[in-house]
Amino acid sequence: MMKRYFFTFALAWCWVLTFTACASPAASSENKSELQLLSQSDDQNFIKVAAHPASFETDFTVAAENTVNEVVCIKSYTNRRQNAYSGYDPFGMFEFFFGPQQGQPRQQQPQSQEPVQSGLGSGVILSEDGYIVTNNHVVEGADKLEVLLNDNSSYEATIIGTDEATDLALIKIDATGLSPITFGDSEAVKVGEWVLAVGNPFGFNSTVTAGIVSAKARSLSQNSRNGRMGIESFIQTDAALNPGNSGGALVNLQGELIGINSAIYSNTGSYSGFSFAIPTSIVKKVMTDLMQYGTVQRAVLGCAVTELDSKLAKEKGITAVKSGLLVREVNDRSTAMELGLQENDVITAINNVEVHNWSQLVEQLNKFRPGDQITVTYYRNNKKETKSGTLRNNQGSTNITKKGDFSDLGCAFMKIGDETKKKLGISAGIQVAGVKNGPFKDAGVKDGFVITEINGRQVSTVDDVENIYNAIMKSSDADKVMFLTGIYSNGKKYYYAVNLQPD
């Protein structure tokens, strides 16, 4: 019994001492000073002691109040039959989010004259007269777009331009006096910085979530390794995003736009801790191109590269740098060739901005157009060199890329009947008619030619041809060609290569 009382008393006395130390500012101050003094006088001092607690600003109210009026809700509608969710995932390792039903099988709907809602997303107002930026996947395939402002006013929107590679789209509503967002500098954003995400998750309008920037220049797929120039430099945050946030704003504490929310990393389709935004350094360039040219003017360096690591550096005898892009091959008619880059050179900066990996290189190149001058810093034989050159497009020229129009093919297409199919011994096809000046005529295609395949895909309707054409024109492939397989009425089979970007 005595031992128990003694233990209780000792525990109570320790608690009193602890309470006294915490409650007395003077005592706390003395303890801190003594701790610092002891640390400074210690001959084996290896512990860094803070002189004062860190202070930081966590008031999100001003940024939130300003931004909610600059972010809109976008509803997409389609006239087509709704199929079950196909699981389309363009980056191969995370899920885009379209709306409340995303990730769940959609019920089959009967054909109807009235469009049915097929998706939900967000957008950010760019100008007072109604230009809005959103994600390409929010508007893709929509027959009608409805934009709902924060004051509950509603407008029908038209698509000005889209870019699948960067997953961005520019749309416009017929309105005036809107509140456009202010752009911030995404390159100045630091890891650990507070950010807000504003959008419409699950249809809940004007929702604000907070988090920090958890990484920059984040690459999410292996697409970059095959030479594609899509987005491979996301801002990674832990601000909660869910279906419906796509196309919304990622802002700093000043309410300035630093990114367009685009994707989450998730096994379920809902937020699991990480989300990704397209940086404004890329958004500004893409929006300007879509507004001026209707399509993105994409510049390439023109060389195959590999990220330098310790193993490669040792193998190649590289000691001057520990990171960068090791040149593996230089393309003909390219900026890299003009600069004189060679195999085993290590690129470390573009216009004095350091590039340690592929993501950072792509982010820098996405800021420029063909014809722009750039300066490249690289190491050759462990010696630093800097040269300037003119960026080119993936065709090796500085020409402006024109927006593709299906009517530019210079012909019409006619559906063929079962009797014609039986006569020619084919199961599907579409007939070329009214050939006039254009790519088809240049390739030698004549009236009456029945196309059975384009680029290895079977075709039987005008929509099939148009969809393939649009996919080719939107792609970042250097060669935009339609390879036609078909047959004439005499039964003779022919093959044609139609160049969609003739000089």
Side-chain angles (χ1 to χ4, degrees):
M1 183 68 70
M2 286 287 290
K3 290 182 178 179
R4 186 192 310 171
Y5 285 144
F6 178 79
F7 177 78
T8 304
F9 175 78
L11 183 62
W13 178 243
C14 289
W15 181 85
V16 169
L17 287 175
T18 304
F19 177 80
T20 304
C22 293
S24 172
S28 177
S29 177
E30 289 179 12
N31 289 342
K32 178 185 285 188
S33 299
E34 185 178 357
L35 177 61
Q36 290 174 346
L37 193 60
L38 287 172
S39 177
Q40 291 169 3
S41 63
D42 192 345
D43 291 338
Q44 295 182 353
N45 175 28
F46 60 91
I47 300 175
K48 184 177 181 180
V49 181
H52 55 78
S55 61
F56 52 87
E57 180 61 59
T58 55
D59 183 3
F60 307 143
T61 57
V62 175
E65 288 172 0
N66 291 339
T67 310
V68 291
N69 294 312
E70 297 158 353
V71 176
V72 303
C73 177
I74 300 175
K75 297 178 181 180
S76 61
Y77 297 83
T78 180
N79 296 322
R80 292 185 288 274
R81 183 183 297 272
Q82 300 300 298
N83 296 321
Y85 171 58
S86 64
Y88 171 64
D89 183 2
F91 289 94
M93 57 187 299
F94 62 92
E95 295 187 19
F96 277 114
F97 34 93
F98 292 76
Q101 296 145 345
Q102 187 65 19
Q104 300 295 328
R106 296 177 179 172
Q107 296 297 318
Q108 292 278 347
Q109 300 290 337
Q111 293 279 8
S112 173
Q113 296 298 322
E114 289 296 322
V116 293
Q117 185 175 338
S118 56
L120 177 71
S122 304
V124 180
I125 299 173
L126 298 179
S127 67
E128 294 183 0
D129 58 346
Y131 283 98
I132 295 169
V133 58
T134 185
N135 286 141
N136 175 67
H137 71 259
V138 170
V139 303
E140 189 174 28
D143 295 307
K144 176 186 174 183
L145 293 174
E146 180 185 4
V147 172
L148 184 67
L149 303 186
N150 192 44
D151 62 4
N152 287 328
S153 56
S154 178
Y155 299 86
E156 189 168 337
T158 56
I159 298 176
I160 303 301
T162 63
D163 184 49
E164 185 178 2
T166 56
D167 191 33
L168 289 170
L170 179 65
I171 65 175
K172 190 178 187 307
I173 60 175
D174 188 13
T176 57
L178 300 181
S179 177
I181 201 161
T182 300
F183 271 66
D185 183 1
S186 59
E187 293 188 349
V189 173
K190 297 180 179 179
V191 173
E193 180 177 338
W194 281 101
V195 289
L196 302 181
V198 186
N200 307 279
F202 300 113
F204 295 111
N205 291 355
S206 306
T207 297
V208 180
T209 55
I212 63 167
V213 174
S214 52
K216 291 182 64 180
R218 178 66 75 199
S219 176
L220 299 178
S221 78
Q222 300 301 313
N223 288 344
S224 60
R225 304 306 182 264
N226 60 19
R228 295 184 184 276
M229 297 296 291
I231 284 295
E232 289 297 329
S233 188
F234 290 91
I235 298 173
Q236 177 182 309
T237 80
D238 63 357
L241 298 181
N242 279 294
N245 272 116
S246 246
L250 186 71
V251 301
N252 57 25
L253 292 192
Q254 288 71 49
E256 299 168 339
L257 185 73
I258 59 171
I260 296 296
N261 296 319
S262 180
I264 55 177
Y265 190 93
S266 172
N267 293 323
T268 64
S270 295
Y271 177 71
S272 296
F274 294 113
S275 51
F276 303 92
I278 304 164
T280 52
S281 58
I282 295 174
V283 175
K284 286 188 290 186
K285 158 68 164 49
V286 172
M287 290 301 102
T288 302
D289 281 357
L290 292 179
M291 194 174 296
Q292 291 184 0
Y293 309 108
T295 188
V296 177
Q297 306 301 312
R298 191 160 282 115
V300 297
L301 195 56
C303 59
V305 297
T306 300
E307 292 181 6
L308 184 68
D309 57 22
S310 57
K311 182 179 180 181
L312 265 178
K314 184 177 181 180
E315 179 184 323
K316 301 293 183 180
I318 299 170
T319 58
V321 290
K322 296 181 179 179
S323 64
L325 287 309
L326 182 72
V327 176
R328 292 189 288 109
E329 183 181 353
V330 176
N331 300 336
D332 292 340
R333 301 178 62 208
S334 67
T335 305
M337 177 169 282
E338 178 190 343
L339 294 170
L341 292 179
Q342 299 176 8
E343 185 180 356
N344 294 330
D345 288 347
V346 181
I347 300 170
T348 58
I350 302 292
N351 281 11
N352 297 320
V353 178
E354 291 185 359
V355 290
H356 300 285
N357 52 46
W358 172 265
S359 300
Q360 293 173 338
L361 176 64
V362 172
E363 181 176 0
Q364 292 307 311
L365 292 177
N366 269 317
K367 294 161 50 179
F368 301 103
R369 298 185 181 96
D372 289 344
Q373 294 289 315
I374 65 162
T375 299
V376 177
T377 302
Y378 61 95
Y379 283 79
R380 177 179 296 166
N381 298 324
N382 293 313
K383 294 181 180 179
K384 185 177 181 180
E385 298 190 30
T386 301
K387 290 186 179 179
S388 297
T390 304
L391 282 171
R392 293 172 170 82
N393 57 30
N394 51 16
Q395 278 80 44
S397 73
T398 58
N399 297 335
I400 294 297
T401 303
K402 296 180 180 179
K403 182 180 180 181
D405 191 317
F406 185 56
S407 62
D408 291 341
L409 291 178
C411 64
F413 300 94
M414 297 175 57
K415 189 174 181 179
I416 60 175
D418 293 337
E419 187 176 336
T420 303
K421 293 178 187 176
K422 184 177 180 180
K423 176 185 175 182
L424 296 176
I426 58 178
S427 59
I430 190 165
Q431 191 172 50
V432 176
V435 177
K436 57 183 181 180
N437 291 337
F440 267 53
K441 184 177 181 179
D442 294 341
V445 180
K446 297 179 175 59
D447 284 354
F449 181 62
V450 176
I451 304 172
T452 56
E453 290 183 356
I454 299 178
N455 291 10
R457 291 174 54 185
Q458 191 178 73
V459 294
S460 57
T461 66
V462 176
D463 285 343
D464 291 340
V465 180
E466 186 171 7
N467 289 338
I468 294 173
Y469 171 84
N470 290 334
I472 294 172
M473 297 307 292
K474 286 181 179 179
S475 75
S476 58
D477 295 339
D479 299 317
K480 300 188 184 299
V481 181
M482 273 185 165
F483 292 103
L484 310 182
T485 300
I487 190 170
Y488 281 102
S489 58
N490 60 6
K492 195 168 184 180
K493 200 170 185 178
Y494 272 80
Y495 303 89
Y496 295 101
V498 180
N499 183 10
L500 301 181
Q501 286 191 329
D503 294 332

